[in-house]
Amino acid sequence: MKTIRKYIQWLKVYGGKRGKNSLLLFLLAIVFHGMVVLAPAIQKNLIESLTHAAIDHRAILYYIGVALCLAICTVLEVFLLIQMKLTLQKKFTLTMLHSMLRSENKIIQKRGAGAYLSRIFGDAEQMSNLYGENIFTGFISVLSSIVIFIIATRWTPLFAYVTIPTTILIIIVMIGTNQLQMKYFALAREKIYELNPCALELIENRKTMMGNLSNTMAFSSIKETMEERDRMFYKSSLAATLGNTLIRVIKDLSFVCFFIFSMNEILRGKLDIATFIPLMAYLNFFYAPVGEWKEWQERLSKFDFFSKRNEENFMLKQHYTLPENHSLRLAGVSVKRGEKTILSDFHLTLDQVYGVVGLSGEGKSTLIKALLKEIEDYEGHIEIGGKDAREIPLPIVHGFFNTSFQEAEIFDGDLNYNVTLGRTGLDDMTYDQKQKALEEKIGAELGRLEKGESILDRDLFLEIYHLEPFEWTEEMEAQCRSHLGNVESTAREMAKILMTKKYYKTSRYEYILEALHLHPLEEREFGQRGSHISGGEKNKVALARFYLKEDFPFIMDEPFTSLDEKSEKENLAILSSMVRGGRGLVISHKLNILRELSDEIIVIHGGRVEAVGTHEELLSRSKLYGELYQMYREKRK
């Protein structure tokens, strides 16, 4: 029952026009099965009229009407179900795509993007297929079978003698084979999720494979997984086929038995031909729920499997707190992994540019992950815009910062798209006017919430919280109201964040392209993950994207990783002018970069802050920094 409730709940949330469609499907199921019960009764009257050498023309018209009604119901039902299936598939896919933008995805972290990609499209299609039948048919068909049983048993008790033991035997076979089918189906799907990231890794690292491994070694693990997957699918299909075959055999035997016993009853004068023919039709219709319920049992078992696998993507906790300003404060932040402390008692108020340095594995990357909500199981507090970072939606946290990561993310497009990400360019005046208008619009809606009134612009809140229209509920409006802070400052901050996600200043864009000498790349397509440009060009494009977003707290992780020494020197001067007077964190092993960009440098040793100061102060204050600087100087010689 729990699975059925969840099945219906998901249909309500994702089905679209759910009230109208569900009512139509319910009515179609009632009409269809009503006609199924009525048809043999009309047939009986027709045959009886023939025995009296007369034709009941009214009964013929009724019979034709029933046939037409059955055909119309079938066509309408198919149309509605196809429409609903496609709607569900789209919404399941969108929900799974949105989920990885609203929360850190465990599947991607553990198994890679390939595994999650197969879930997005594979599982979404599988789950939508489970809604490919009329949900009301199974229930109405049971009721119609009960009516058929009562009518047929009144005609002859022989009907009950045959159908009751047959039904019990079919149910036993159905339950047993379905359990086996789902057991092996689940194991096969697990092998698919193991296989996809392995295949993706092989494709991405094919050059290394070609140069160092034979085909046999490169494909051995993939072949083994494929063979295991196929064995599981074979067993699952075998169980399903065995179940269907046994049920068909049992039903056929019941037809044979009923036919033989009926012939005996006819010879004894206890049954007439006019009743026998409709009884055979009723016998066929009586078993219809068995097949439908077998399909429903399989469907619900698969739904239970897929919904549990993807529950974390569909049942994400929605956060509603919005930042009120551009402040950032860390107080006593500590991160542990098992017994090991990765980061311990970290305190920081971001009021200038800080460099962060330390040995590998000393907590620098962990610090970034905590700031960007990639990890939330830390002790202490992180406040973003005066609010607890854990309670702020993930897209807003990422929008709050300007980030540049060590691994440049390049898209299959041209220079403009890779720098602007498809945003619209505006001149400075228009940009400022739009931001002011957006601030007033957000302020007005937040003001309505503050007064206890309903919002007027739902689309604005969908944009703020990164939601699809079908995900919005009345409860969310109440939650937004309960988490509301200062209206004026929140509106100002959110307008600033939302503007950078939709627009950019064309003057700044042109300046950046000129400063980084990127105009030669304007006529080129970059290829998948930037496969058509060099590592240095990727780095420059990523820097241009970083420069485009101004006046935000920034996080830079190992800038200039792929640039030669000359290009690094040129770009360091540009970056220095860009971040001067700003607030942010620069993480790097290159001390010349930290020295040039930072107001002060934080030295992390053993997960703890060993010292904070300028380059000159740290040379005398921090033993580790002195050693790192000495190593850096020796590398430069």
Side-chain angles (χ1 to χ4, degrees):
M1 287 302 295
K2 184 179 178 181
T3 303
I4 294 174
R5 284 198 299 270
K6 188 196 291 185
Y7 184 92
I8 295 172
Q9 179 189 357
W10 283 35
L11 179 62
K12 287 180 179 178
V13 174
Y14 300 103
K17 295 183 180 178
R18 46 188 179 271
K20 186 185 294 184
N21 286 351
S22 297
L23 179 60
L24 283 172
L25 288 171
F26 177 70
L27 292 174
L28 286 172
I30 289 178
V31 172
F32 182 89
H33 287 281
M35 296 300 103
V36 164
V37 173
L38 189 61
I42 298 173
Q43 190 180 52
K44 183 175 181 292
N45 289 334
L46 273 171
I47 297 171
E48 286 177 345
S49 70
L50 288 173
T51 60
H52 295 93
I55 297 178
D56 189 340
H57 295 287
R58 183 178 294 179
I60 291 175
L61 290 175
Y62 286 157
Y63 200 66
I64 293 171
V66 166
L68 287 173
C69 191
L70 286 170
I72 292 169
C73 285
T74 302
V75 171
L76 288 175
E77 185 180 71
V78 168
F79 173 78
L80 285 171
L81 289 172
I82 289 174
Q83 187 183 49
M84 187 170 70
K85 176 183 173 297
L86 292 174
T87 299
L88 286 165
Q89 184 174 341
K90 180 179 74 173
K91 289 183 178 179
F92 286 156
T93 303
L94 286 172
T95 300
M96 295 178 77
L97 283 168
H98 273 277
S99 72
M100 69 177 183
L101 299 177
R102 297 210 298 262
S103 177
E104 281 305 312
N105 191 282
K106 294 178 181 178
I107 303 167
I108 296 175
Q109 290 176 341
K110 291 180 180 179
R111 296 187 176 184
Y116 192 62
L117 186 65
S118 68
R119 284 205 183 186
I120 288 176
F121 297 103
D123 284 15
E125 182 178 3
Q126 289 279 353
M127 286 189 292
S128 63
N129 285 337
L130 302 180
Y131 288 92
E133 298 291 336
N134 190 341
I135 189 174
F136 302 106
T137 297
F139 301 101
I140 303 299
S141 66
V142 171
L143 295 176
S144 68
S145 290
I146 293 172
V147 174
I148 287 171
F149 182 83
I150 293 170
I151 294 172
T153 304
R154 288 180 65 183
W155 291 350
T156 173
L158 180 61
F159 192 88
Y161 299 153
V162 172
T163 56
I164 290 175
T166 301
T167 302
I168 293 171
L169 190 57
I170 287 174
I171 289 172
I172 292 171
V173 171
M174 184 172 66
I175 293 173
T177 55
N178 185 66
Q179 287 178 345
L180 280 175
Q181 179 191 354
M182 286 311 305
K183 173 186 173 182
Y184 292 116
F185 177 82
L187 292 172
R189 295 298 301 185
E190 284 298 325
K191 291 300 173 184
I192 288 177
Y193 299 126
E194 289 180 22
L195 183 64
N196 286 339
C198 293
L200 182 64
E201 190 175 60
L202 176 66
I203 293 168
E204 291 179 338
N205 301 329
R206 60 191 180 279
K207 292 180 182 177
T208 301
M209 292 290 191
M210 286 189 290
N212 295 280
L213 292 176
S214 66
N215 279 347
T216 304
M217 294 177 67
F219 285 93
S220 60
S221 62
I222 290 179
K223 285 181 178 178
E224 288 174 8
T225 306
M226 288 175 69
E227 288 169 1
E228 186 64 21
R229 175 205 63 186
D230 293 342
R231 278 195 294 272
M232 294 302 105
F233 271 133
Y234 172 76
K235 291 180 179 180
S236 178
S237 299
L238 190 63
T241 304
L242 178 63
N244 291 331
T245 303
L246 286 174
I247 290 172
R248 192 181 307 116
V249 168
I250 294 169
K251 286 168 64 177
D252 289 344
L253 287 174
S254 76
F255 275 99
V256 171
C257 291
F258 185 76
F259 181 82
I260 293 171
F261 295 149
S262 295
M263 292 300 101
N264 184 54
E265 293 291 288
I266 291 171
L267 287 173
R268 293 168 59 189
K270 293 185 176 182
L271 187 67
D272 56 58
I273 296 294
T275 305
F276 167 71
I277 294 174
L279 278 173
M280 290 298 291
Y282 270 150
L283 186 64
N284 186 45
F285 292 142
F286 177 81
Y287 289 128
V290 174
E292 290 172 0
W293 277 100
K294 183 179 188 303
E295 291 179 8
W296 266 103
Q297 190 181 28
E298 293 174 6
R299 193 175 295 120
L300 287 174
S301 297
K302 288 183 179 181
F303 173 79
D304 188 50
F305 169 74
F306 284 116
S307 63
K308 284 179 179 177
R309 284 178 55 83
N310 295 287
E311 199 157 19
E312 65 180 63
N313 300 312
F314 286 90
M315 303 298 174
L316 288 176
K317 180 183 178 182
Q318 178 65 43
H319 298 288
Y320 299 92
T321 302
L322 303 176
E324 294 185 0
N325 52 58
H326 251 41
S327 65
L328 176 66
R329 188 176 73 89
L330 295 86
V333 176
S334 299
V335 180
K336 289 185 177 181
R337 287 292 173 263
E339 297 298 319
K340 184 179 179 182
T341 299
I342 308 297
L343 192 66
S344 179
D345 197 30
F346 191 91
H347 292 261
L348 178 68
T349 297
L350 194 66
D351 52 3
Q352 58 184 356
V353 178
Y354 287 94
V356 183
V357 69
L359 299 174
S360 297
E362 292 288 331
K364 302 184 299 298
S365 297
T366 302
L367 174 62
I368 293 177
K369 289 179 179 179
L371 287 172
L372 297 177
K373 284 190 69 170
E374 292 180 25
I375 56 173
E376 296 186 55
D377 56 340
Y378 54 81
E379 298 175 4
H381 299 280
I382 298 177
E383 289 186 1
I384 291 177
K387 301 293 182 179
D388 184 354
R390 292 187 181 95
E391 299 303 317
I392 300 175
L394 184 64
I396 294 176
V397 170
H398 279 258
F400 179 87
F401 292 104
N402 188 10
T403 54
S404 175
F405 301 111
Q406 186 173 349
E407 194 71 33
E409 294 182 345
I410 303 298
F411 298 87
D412 186 7
D414 58 12
L415 176 66
N416 180 270
Y417 181 81
N418 272 278
V419 175
T420 69
L421 301 180
R423 289 170 285 184
T424 303
L426 302 172
D427 62 71
D428 290 13
M429 182 180 294
T430 305
Y431 188 98
D432 293 339
Q433 288 172 347
K434 275 188 172 291
Q435 182 168 318
K436 183 64 177 176
L438 182 58
E439 180 183 333
E440 292 173 356
K441 185 178 181 182
I442 295 172
E445 289 297 331
L446 295 181
R448 292 182 65 84
L449 285 177
E450 189 177 42
K451 295 173 185 175
E453 300 173 4
S454 297
I455 60 173
L456 295 177
D457 191 346
R458 190 187 66 168
D459 290 342
L460 178 62
F461 285 84
L462 295 177
E463 185 178 358
I464 290 173
Y465 291 107
H466 279 244
L467 296 170
E468 288 291 322
F470 62 86
E471 295 178 296
W472 182 262
T473 63
E474 292 181 4
E475 180 190 349
M476 289 183 174
E477 184 172 320
Q479 289 288 347
C480 291
R481 183 178 291 110
S482 65
H483 289 80
L484 191 60
N486 181 274
V487 169
E488 185 179 347
S489 57
T490 302
R492 187 184 308 115
E493 184 64 23
M494 288 310 304
K496 189 174 181 181
I497 291 174
L498 291 182
M499 281 296 294
T500 62
K501 294 191 174 190
K502 297 176 69 175
Y503 306 103
Y504 67 92
K505 293 182 177 179
T506 52
S507 59
R508 188 171 179 83
Y509 173 77
E510 291 299 332
Y511 168 75
I512 291 167
L513 261 57
E514 190 68 36
L516 293 175
H517 308 294
L518 286 173
H519 285 295
L521 293 178
E522 285 185 307
E523 301 301 320
R524 292 171 59 181
E525 290 293 322
F526 289 5
Q528 191 75 27
R529 298 190 179 184
S531 58
H532 299 165
I533 60 176
S534 68
E537 288 170 332
K538 289 181 187 178
N539 199 268
K540 282 188 173 184
V541 171
L543 284 172
R545 189 187 305 152
F546 173 81
Y547 294 150
L548 195 63
K549 187 175 177 178
E550 56 181 331
D551 298 330
F552 280 81
F554 64 85
I555 298 172
M556 296 199 78
D557 184 17
E558 296 293 352
F560 313 134
T561 51
S562 302
L563 295 181
D564 56 67
E565 193 169 332
K566 181 176 180 295
S567 297
E568 178 183 304
K569 187 175 181 180
E570 292 174 355
N571 285 284
L572 183 58
I574 299 169
L575 180 58
S576 179
S577 66
M578 292 278 189
V579 304
R580 189 175 294 120
R583 296 175 300 120
L585 295 174
V586 182
I587 297 172
S588 181
H589 288 95
K590 297 182 178 181
L591 299 189
N592 65 312
I593 292 177
L594 296 182
R595 185 178 182 181
E596 177 68 27
L597 299 179
S598 308
D599 297 303
E600 287 189 306
I601 299 170
I602 301 170
V603 182
I604 298 179
H605 190 201
R608 293 180 175 274
V609 175
E610 183 185 83
V612 180
T614 63
H615 171 73
E616 289 74 15
E617 291 170 344
L618 291 175
L619 287 175
S620 59
R621 193 183 299 171
S622 170
K623 180 182 178 182
L624 176 61
Y625 189 85
E627 292 173 354
L628 292 173
Y629 184 64
Q630 187 61 36
M631 291 167 60
Y632 167 75
R633 290 186 65 185
E634 289 175 2
K635 284 183 181 179
R636 301 279 289 185
K637 289 180 180 179

